[in-house]
Amino acid sequence: MQRAQDGRRVTMYLDGSTAPPAADRPVDVLALLGDRSTLARQPLFHIEQACSAAELSDYRRLRREAFVHEQGLFTGHDLDDRDTDPRTLVLVAKDEDGTVVGGVRLGPVDDGPDIGWWQGGRLVVARRARGPHGIGAALVRAACARAEAEGVLRFDATVQARNEVLFKRLGWCSVREIEVADAPHMLMRWPIGRIAAQAAAAKSALGPLLAALHGPATHARGQDPAGGALRENARAALGGPGFVGDDGAPVPGTDVIAACDAIVPSMVERDPGWAGWCSVLVNINDLAAMGASPIGLLDAVGAKDAAHAARVLDGLGRAAQAYGVPVLGGHTQLGVPAALSVTALGRTDHPVPGGGGRPGHSVRLTADLGGGWRTGYRGRQWDSTTHRRTDELRAMTGAVAAARPAAAKDVSMAGIAGTLGMLAEASGCRAVLDVAAVPRPRPVPMGDWLTCFPGFAMLTADEPGVAPLPAGPATGAVCGELAEGQGVGLRWPDGEITDAVTSTVTGMGTA
């Protein structure tokens, strides 16, 4: 970078040539490298969030020119309450000189808490910038990306009828015709598949993979766990009758419930202490969902060296102590890739199934909203357990045993909505979740909350009006119901239901 005689900065390319004087802004590295052929192919505009009063003023001026003077949709101005809502975001398109040549706004629909329902609108492009540059389409795509990044699960827009084709070409869906300012518009919706994608990635392979383990009972021989003698007709199917796809498995002929969970190897490698803690947490939650009291744990640890294994076992030991559950034994292997799995054993005379729901049952979420995002896992893992006392943890994990609902599932890596889909699938039902009624920490985005691993969160289904789970510090609320059909729908305050999961989650079928 050099300075001309008039003091202005001049860009000097590596090939010795100079660029014309430009505004005082960062220089593109491609310019410094002299790659002007690539620079020549760059778009003639860029999009960013409007942050200054001047940028907002320029955007509103473009709106006034288009919607008041050019189209006559409004008189005087087109401003409304959304413009004064501090949660409203404005994205603007700027040309090479930094002049605002277009913009769009987006933000929450209602004045109350942000529940993940946003609306985009007031899309405008300066008359001189319209045409083949695609500024309007780029602004729409940017708004969609920003909405999803903010954890939005429903994103609507009211579009002038003549622009419906553009939005459909960009992937939007037409909902219904409406009128805005006495002019025909189309209510359109951007399809957000975040919940369905997570559920599919976490659970959809289970049905096909586990099909081979569903052996016919009449062809099986097994060991009687009580008497030790071989007997005919031992059930050779996962879970046993009524417990297919459950969090744990009743051991035939006993009151024992067995559960087993493994931790993602990359997490064991990257965060061994937290992985050890979570290996206890997830298994105790699995027993809790079936109403079983934990009696002990077995662990299997693989690590590159003793130091790494010690960090895993430290986290596991601290969690076992916090929950008051002994580690009975296990297996440790060094000099191998990181791995961790834990088996938990519990007892109950009457296990609660995950597939005990029926159409008409109310859905309740009971979750510990305390704590916060685990460092390094923001938006994915909510740590509500490491600060809890043993009596608090025991109160939460004993809640299903005390209340004995018709069905229960602890929220797994499929998230709240995906796990509800698993409960509904095992029950042969469809689930509808009332978004505004879901207990949620503030100000966690709804999209993050419905798809994260929440520490302790239990979904239950039962007859309407039954008492809530006595879960100590956890918060519970009825937030939906089971119905005929399959999948999971999200019901919004305006009565609209959008699909979160359109089919079964695991493919394992009804319990």
Side-chain angles (χ1 to χ4, degrees):
M1 187 74 70
Q2 296 182 347
R3 288 194 177 273
Q5 292 182 349
D6 60 4
R8 289 180 297 175
R9 292 188 297 177
V10 177
T11 299
M12 174 70 73
Y13 295 132
L14 293 185
D15 63 4
S17 60
T18 60
D24 189 13
R25 60 176 183 265
V27 178
D28 195 307
V29 68
L30 295 174
L32 294 175
L33 293 174
D35 189 357
R36 282 167 288 171
S37 62
T38 300
L39 287 171
R41 296 194 299 271
Q42 288 187 328
L44 299 178
F45 64 92
H46 68 277
I47 295 173
E48 61 186 53
Q49 182 176 338
C51 297
S52 69
E55 290 170 338
L56 289 174
S57 177
D58 289 343
Y59 165 62
R60 291 171 182 172
R61 175 182 52 77
L62 290 179
R63 283 168 41 182
R64 186 168 60 252
E65 291 174 356
F67 304 135
V68 177
H69 302 308
E70 181 181 343
Q71 300 176 19
L73 293 175
F74 302 94
T75 301
H77 65 82
D78 71 328
L79 302 177
D80 59 20
D81 292 343
R82 299 275 71 82
D83 290 304
T84 57
D85 189 332
R87 302 170 301 174
T88 296
L89 304 177
V90 172
L91 305 181
V92 292
K94 294 182 177 180
D95 64 14
E96 294 174 299
D97 297 325
T99 302
V100 174
V101 292
V104 65
R105 73 180 187 189
L106 64 158
V109 170
D110 291 333
D111 294 330
D114 179 3
I115 61 170
W117 176 17
W118 280 30
Q119 188 171 47
R122 298 298 198 268
L123 172 67
V124 65
V125 177
R127 178 178 290 186
R128 67 176 179 83
R130 297 171 196 167
H133 305 307
I135 295 176
L139 283 165
V140 173
R141 288 193 292 266
C144 294
R146 183 58 183 270
E148 293 201 44
E150 295 289 337
V152 173
L153 293 174
R154 176 182 171 185
F155 189 39
D156 296 340
T158 53
V159 177
Q160 292 188 42
R162 64 185 180 187
N163 292 329
E164 181 184 0
V165 173
L166 167 65
F167 275 72
K168 292 181 75 170
R169 190 167 66 243
L170 294 173
W172 288 63
C173 302
S174 301
V175 179
R176 59 180 171 271
E177 295 179 353
I178 59 174
E179 281 197 357
V180 176
D182 298 323
H185 283 65
M186 178 64 69
L187 175 64
M188 305 198 75
R189 182 164 300 141
W190 173 247
I192 297 178
R194 176 175 180 172
I195 291 173
Q198 181 187 13
K203 302 294 181 179
S204 64
L206 290 180
L209 281 174
L210 301 178
L213 301 182
H214 288 276
T218 55
H219 295 152
R221 292 175 60 85
Q223 190 84 19
D224 186 332
L230 287 172
R231 60 185 177 86
E232 297 286 346
N233 299 331
R235 176 79 176 181
L238 297 176
F243 293 96
V244 175
D246 265 272
D247 300 293
V251 178
T254 76
D255 64 351
V256 175
I257 303 295
C260 181
D261 253 316
I263 302 300
V264 176
S266 60
M267 180 174 161
V268 183
E269 180 70 38
R270 180 179 66 250
D271 201 349
W274 177 239
W277 181 281
C278 288
S279 70
V280 174
L281 162 67
V282 296
N283 278 281
I284 298 300
N285 283 351
D286 284 346
L287 295 178
M290 300 190 73
S293 299
I295 56 177
L297 305 168
L298 300 166
D299 68 87
V301 179
K304 60 184 178 181
D305 53 36
H308 193 269
R311 294 174 65 189
V312 174
L313 292 171
D314 176 69
L316 190 153
R318 287 186 291 105
Q321 184 176 10
Y323 281 90
V325 182
V327 178
L328 303 176
H331 175 77
T332 302
Q333 187 170 356
L334 304 180
V336 297
L340 174 61
S341 63
V342 167
T343 297
L345 302 174
R347 280 201 173 108
T348 178
D349 291 329
H350 303 286
V352 175
R358 297 294 179 265
H361 278 182
S362 294
V363 169
R364 180 184 295 272
L365 175 67
T366 304
D368 187 357
L369 308 185
W373 295 119
R374 173 73 179 179
T375 302
Y377 301 88
R378 184 174 184 82
R380 294 178 291 143
Q381 294 188 27
W382 183 259
D383 178 12
S384 62
T385 58
T386 55
H387 70 288
R388 290 296 184 194
R389 303 187 309 267
T390 298
D391 62 311
E392 293 176 319
L393 295 171
R394 284 292 187 91
M396 290 187 285
T397 57
V400 171
R404 298 201 48 76
K409 291 279 290 183
D410 85 287
V411 176
S412 69
M413 294 308 293
I416 291 170
T419 302
L420 179 57
M422 295 168 67
L423 185 153
E425 177 184 355
S427 301
C429 298
R430 169 179 171 81
V432 178
L433 191 64
D434 280 311
V435 180
V438 173
R440 172 176 56 117
R442 301 289 191 267
V444 173
M446 185 62 74
D448 290 348
W449 183 241
L450 292 187
T451 55
C452 77
F453 179 76
F456 175 83
M458 198 69 63
L459 284 160
T460 55
D462 212 336
E463 297 290 343
V466 300
L469 272 63
T475 300
V478 172
C479 53
E481 70 271 352
L482 298 181
E484 299 285 350
Q486 62 181 12
V488 179
L490 303 180
R491 183 160 52 216
W492 303 90
D494 63 347
E496 195 95 2
I497 296 178
T498 58
D499 281 330
V501 180
T502 58
S503 184
T504 60
V505 175
T506 69
M508 296 178 68
T510 304

